[in-house]
Amino acid sequence: MRKGLKRSLLVLNCALLAFGNVGGPLIMKLYFLKGGKGVWTSSCLETAGWPFMVMPLTFSYLYRRRKEGPGTELFFIKPPLFLASAVIGLLTGVDDFLYAYGVARLPVSTLALIISTQLAFTVAFAFLLVKQKFTSFTINSVFLLNIGAVVLALHTSSDHPANESNRQYCSGFFMTLAASALYGFVLPAIELTYKKAKQTISYSLVIEMQMVMSFSATVFCTIGMLFHKEVEAIPREASKFELGQSTYYLVILLSAILWQFFFMGAVGVIFSGSSLLSGIIIAALLPVTESLAVLFFHEKFQVEKAISVVLSLWGSLSYFYGELQKNKKNQASERAMA
Ligand SMILES: Nc1ncnc2[nH]cnc12
């Protein structure tokens, strides 16, 4: 793939991931705050937007067909990659449930704090699974982003919602921590799948894999919804939703779209960058989500949140500066070899 195209894809996917990472948790929290109760429904909505992926795949097919003629294959994905994507999708489904459980029980600020530990898990698994190499800038960035999380941890006791028992709060805390660890594993596992694939990984194939992962996660969560009788609760919930019935369905639609941005962005950044970069972007934007939660849901704003925003900015700048230096060095050595 041409370098320019790969860079454009990286920018596009960073933007998708950023939108999803900030908007997804906020819309999910809005659902719970205004009367939504379905944890399985919420987790299902994280991946239920998979049919949207048909659109870019159709464009890709029509484009190839114009070049290659009527014999063009509809899909690239072969059975081994299909199976690997379906298994990762099941893990994503479990992760979605753990995450939605956390969103239902905790303020967004506390949730974001716990999720920021995900970067440490991603670093560890990226090292183990894909032998990720670290520069001093990456290490500095990961360190700063984690310090940001620790600073936030200092205020969590005052973030405890008044109407919630200690047990509910604790279970929310540990389920979110489990989601963080699991997704910290899923990101490098996707990178490993790209590396071990016995076929060329193109961007179209990445979208196909994302569709299979999301479909498999949605099947898992739909079974959870059926078992917990959440499907039949939807019209009832809609009629009682504090913002009105039509807003309820709009929230559901927006959830599906924003979360699809998140997952498409994450797998796309892994394709054109690395799982570590996906983890860094997710961690770096958490303070933005928190600040917006303060603005929209009137969660408390403590000075720790401001410090964490600054540390995150510093951490991200450090990473991107390091990448810039690395690219410059690579270009210089390519020129010297030519
Ligand atoms: N299911 C999920 N959705 C969004 N962010 C996450 N971080 C960990 N799990 C997540």
Side-chain angles (χ1 to χ4, degrees), residues 33-227:
L33 283 176
K34 299 299 173 191
K37 299 239 173 337
V39 173
W40 281 106
T41 308
S42 240
S43 42
C44 191
L45 286 175
E46 280 210 53
T47 50
W50 60 267
F52 291 120
M53 295 293 110
V54 172
M55 235 179 335
L57 287 179
T58 309
F59 284 132
S60 157
Y61 172 72
L62 291 177
Y63 177 75
R64 281 184 285 124
R65 200 183 138 109
R66 234 184 35 199
K67 279 203 329 199
E68 296 163 17
T72 312
E73 276 186 77
L74 202 53
F75 293 111
F76 285 113
I77 199 162
K78 300 272 184 297
L81 215 47
F82 183 93
L83 194 68
S85 307
V87 171
I88 295 179
L90 279 183
L91 291 179
T92 307
V94 175
D95 179 73
D96 289 345
F97 173 74
L98 296 169
Y99 183 84
Y101 190 95
V103 176
R105 300 280 187 280
L106 305 173
V108 175
S109 44
T110 314
L111 178 101
L113 147 74
I114 306 166
I115 290 297
S116 57
T117 61
Q118 187 174 299
L119 182 57
F121 290 112
T122 307
V123 165
F125 287 120
F127 178 72
L128 291 174
L129 297 182
V130 292
K131 310 275 178 288
Q132 172 72 49
K133 301 223 171 20
F134 298 100
T135 64
S136 53
F137 288 106
T138 331
I139 294 168
N140 186 41
S141 155
V142 169
F143 177 73
L144 289 169
L145 288 166
N146 277 309
I147 292 283
V150 173
V151 168
L152 278 175
L154 301 175
H155 79 256
T156 39
S157 57
S158 58
D159 247 0
H160 196 317
N163 57 349
E164 209 162 74
S165 73
N166 244 340
R167 238 184 99 209
Q168 276 182 319
Y169 186 81
C170 280
S171 58
F173 192 97
F174 286 110
M175 295 286 246
T176 312
L177 192 60
S180 176
L182 186 52
Y183 207 61
F185 169 77
V186 164
L187 293 174
I190 295 173
E191 189 172 348
L192 183 68
T193 312
Y194 292 166
K195 286 205 158 133
K196 295 275 178 205
K198 300 250 178 336
Q199 57 180 123
T200 313
I201 303 284
S202 63
Y203 190 57
S204 285
L205 180 56
V206 167
I207 303 178
E208 286 175 21
M209 286 172 66
Q210 154 61 13
M211 198 163 138
V212 174
M213 284 183 231
S214 283
F215 176 73
S216 150
T218 307
V219 169
F220 176 81
C221 295
T222 308
I223 294 172
M225 276 179 83
L226 289 169
F227 261 111

Side-chain angles (χ1 to χ4, degrees), residues 279-331:
I280 286 185
I281 293 174
I282 292 172
L285 286 167
L286 289 171
V288 178
T289 313
E290 286 189 44
S291 310
L292 291 177
V294 169
L295 196 71
F296 294 140
F297 305 138
H298 309 294
E299 289 185 2
K300 286 183 221 147
F301 186 83
Q302 292 103 332
V303 69
E304 289 90 337
K305 288 186 187 174
I307 296 173
S308 152
V309 172
V310 173
L311 287 171
S312 290
L313 268 177
W314 184 9
S316 330
L317 285 178
S318 164
Y319 178 81
F320 291 113
Y321 181 73
E323 284 299 292
L324 221 66
Q325 296 295 93
K326 201 168 75 184
N327 280 349
K328 265 192 202 157
K329 239 191 230 164
N330 286 350
Q331 276 170 3

Side-chain angles (χ1 to χ4, degrees), residues 260-281:
Q260 209 46 220
F261 280 0
F262 173 83
F263 287 107
M264 192 54 240
V267 297
V269 171
I270 298 174
F271 168 70
S272 32
S274 63
S275 53
L276 178 65
L277 180 58
S278 259
I280 286 185
I281 293 174

